[in-house]
Amino acid sequence: MKKTLVLKVDSQEPEIEKIRIAADFIKKGGLVAFPTETVYGLGADALNPKAVLALFEAKKRPLDNPPIVHVGDLKVVCRLAKKVPTKAEKLMKTFWPGPLTLIFKRSEIVPDVTVCGLDTIAVRMPKHNVALALIRESNCPIAAPSANLAGKPSPTTAKHVLDDLDERIDAVLDAGPTRIGVESTVLDMTVDPPQILRPGGTPYEVLKKILGRVELHPVAVAEKALTVEKARSPGVKHKHYAPDADVIVVEGELSAVMNKVKGLTEFYMQKGNKVGVLATDETVGYYRAGVVKSLGSRSDLAVIARNLFRLLREFDLESVDIIIAEGVPTEGLGLAVMNRLRKASGYKIVKASSR
Ligand code: TXA
Ligand code: MG
């Protein structure tokens, strides 16, 4: 147990003295949570094996699920990766800093623990002045998984970080809520065409425009559990994004979804459960029972993505037993939202149809 220092910082122009306090922890092998444009990350010096091991312990993260390494400078990528394909250079020029993580063959300077013994490494440059200032002042690449306890929804505020990790980490830089709200897109550049292993803040359609060909791995769609051999992305066999409550996702045409959500809510309430309904602005008035929350309007999937993890955590604070969630369209950021919801449900997906 240690005291966790909370450092409030300006998100645009972070106060340098506070960044230096945080960077000193990183340099000494400590753990600092910090905001990125996607979610809060829990950072450690990526080249210090002891620090990275402590990172896994603090999060209770299984030792076979490697974190993303965050850089502030393109030159550092060449030190971490064995080879940077031309297509990757183009992506970095177009999307960095930003919510896109690239998988490369890794170089010898990367400690085994940082990549969980794999011969590849995940790298990204976050688009957030606090994150970039911390990387610069720490003077090292920073390994940072999302700053939640393993299996829980990712944190989009410093309070979420403290709810999970207070007294387990040295400090948190608090710059308010994160802008995107779901994690970065993970794109495997060691195969051709490149493959999306996790949909996230940079949509599939946008990558397709730049790359021409890009594949969506089945784990990214997450319609059902895959065997470990098929999974490719090491983290997928573990429980993910899950609130304490059980989750059921209802997908299909909207009016059929609404009827099904209503029916399931009544069914579980009759059995004595406290039921949460994850609705949208267009449908929220239709549900009269349960704890009903809206993700935002169906016409703005960016807002829905921003609210998702916060609402899942709110249902837990209200001790809901089961969450019935409406599916949203899988276009743009909607694919990232549906990937998180399907995984949070443990693939308890109900297809609603009007017939
Ligand atoms: O937006 C984000 O990406 C956030 C912020 C903090 O940057 N970070 C984040 O990290 O979501 P984490 O550790 O929670 O998720 C990393 C993902 C996992 O799904 C992991 O399995 C995958 O990246 N990953 C890491 N290294 C990999 C590798 N060498 N090959 C394939 N997948 C890898
Ligand atoms: Mg995570």
Side-chain angles (χ1 to χ4, degrees):
M1 286 255 223
K2 44 183 152 190
K3 180 140 179 52
T4 299
L5 185 64
V6 180
L7 297 159
K8 285 216 187 272
V9 281
D10 188 273
S11 64
Q12 295 303 314
E13 293 173 42
E15 298 80 352
I16 189 67
E17 50 305 342
K18 293 185 185 167
I19 297 292
R20 285 197 179 127
I21 295 171
D24 277 341
F25 282 122
I26 299 278
K27 286 185 201 163
K28 287 186 198 138
L31 305 177
V32 176
F34 60 95
T36 75
E37 77 281 35
T38 57
V39 300
Y40 275 72
L42 179 61
D45 178 349
L47 303 180
N48 176 342
K50 269 196 191 147
V52 176
L53 199 58
L55 182 69
F56 281 93
E57 277 163 12
K59 267 186 67 97
K60 302 188 182 168
R61 176 157 168 134
L63 278 165
D64 59 359
N65 187 14
I68 292 168
V69 176
H70 295 64
V71 299
D73 185 337
L74 285 178
K75 285 196 286 279
V76 179
V77 181
C78 302
R79 290 179 54 220
L80 299 172
K82 204 175 245 168
K83 194 177 131 218
V84 178
T86 321
K87 281 182 188 174
E89 277 173 19
K90 192 169 168 187
L91 292 172
M92 294 189 292
K93 263 191 209 130
T94 313
F95 295 108
W96 281 11
L100 179 66
T101 294
L102 301 175
I103 309 285
F104 300 111
K105 291 278 176 201
R106 59 111 157 187
S107 75
E108 306 302 319
I109 70 157
V110 184
D112 275 343
V113 61
T114 303
V115 291
C116 299
L118 298 176
D119 65 352
T120 52
I121 183 168
V123 188
R124 89 175 189 101
M125 189 188 288
K127 189 174 182 168
H128 197 296
N129 287 351
V130 174
L132 292 171
L134 180 66
I135 297 166
R136 189 184 59 236
E137 289 301 315
S138 304
N139 201 23
C140 61
I142 294 188
S146 48
N148 50 286
L149 280 174
K152 294 283 152 213
S154 296
T156 57
T157 66
K159 180 180 178 294
H160 296 163
V161 175
L162 292 168
D163 287 345
D164 279 16
L165 298 175
D166 193 19
E167 299 188 333
R168 301 178 68 82
I169 62 176
D170 294 295
V172 54
L173 286 160
D174 178 358
T178 58
R179 183 170 57 83
I180 296 177
V182 290
E183 303 89 338
S184 62
T185 300
V186 177
L187 184 64
D188 187 350
M189 300 307 295
T190 68
V191 291
D192 198 28
Q195 240 183 10
I196 295 179
L197 301 181
R198 179 180 74 181
T202 305
Y204 166 71
E205 297 87 339
V206 175
L207 288 171
K208 210 171 156 156
K209 245 183 222 153
I210 299 289
L211 285 172
R213 283 179 69 204
V214 54
E215 276 175 8
L216 262 176
H217 191 278
V219 299
V221 183
E223 280 182 310
K224 55 176 188 285
L226 292 176
T227 57
V228 174
E229 308 80 73
K230 286 211 188 115
R232 293 274 310 284
S233 188
V236 298
K237 61 180 175 289
H238 304 294
K239 201 177 145 204
H240 257 110
Y241 313 117
D244 295 334
D246 286 335
V247 178
I248 296 178
V249 191
V250 184
E251 301 182 19
E253 192 256 314
L254 188 57
S255 60
V257 167
M258 290 162 71
N259 280 331
K260 192 78 194 173
V261 169
K262 198 172 201 178
L264 285 170
T265 305
E266 281 158 15
F267 174 78
Y268 282 103
M269 286 179 72
Q270 265 162 22
K271 288 195 4 180
N273 290 292
K274 184 166 180 186
V275 181
V277 178
L278 195 56
T280 45
D281 287 356
E282 289 78 1
T283 62
V284 70
Y286 179 71
Y287 307 116
R288 304 255 171 242
V291 182
V292 187
K293 293 180 190 290
S294 173
L295 283 166
S297 168
R298 290 179 162 268
S299 65
D300 195 346
L301 291 167
V303 172
I304 288 184
R306 192 180 303 146
N307 289 327
L308 177 68
F309 288 139
R310 178 174 57 81
L311 292 191
L312 290 178
R313 282 178 177 264
E314 280 180 13
F315 279 125
D316 274 350
L317 292 176
E318 294 180 52
S319 306
V320 156
D321 300 305
I322 185 157
I323 299 168
I324 316 288
E326 288 178 1
V328 299
T330 52
E331 65 213 35
L333 287 174
L335 184 63
V337 170
M338 288 311 292
N339 166 286
R340 307 307 184 270
L341 274 179
R342 287 166 177 165
K343 285 185 171 175
S345 78
Y347 310 99
K348 284 192 286 296
I349 303 166
V350 175
K351 302 270 183 200
S353 85
S354 42
R355 286 182 300 131

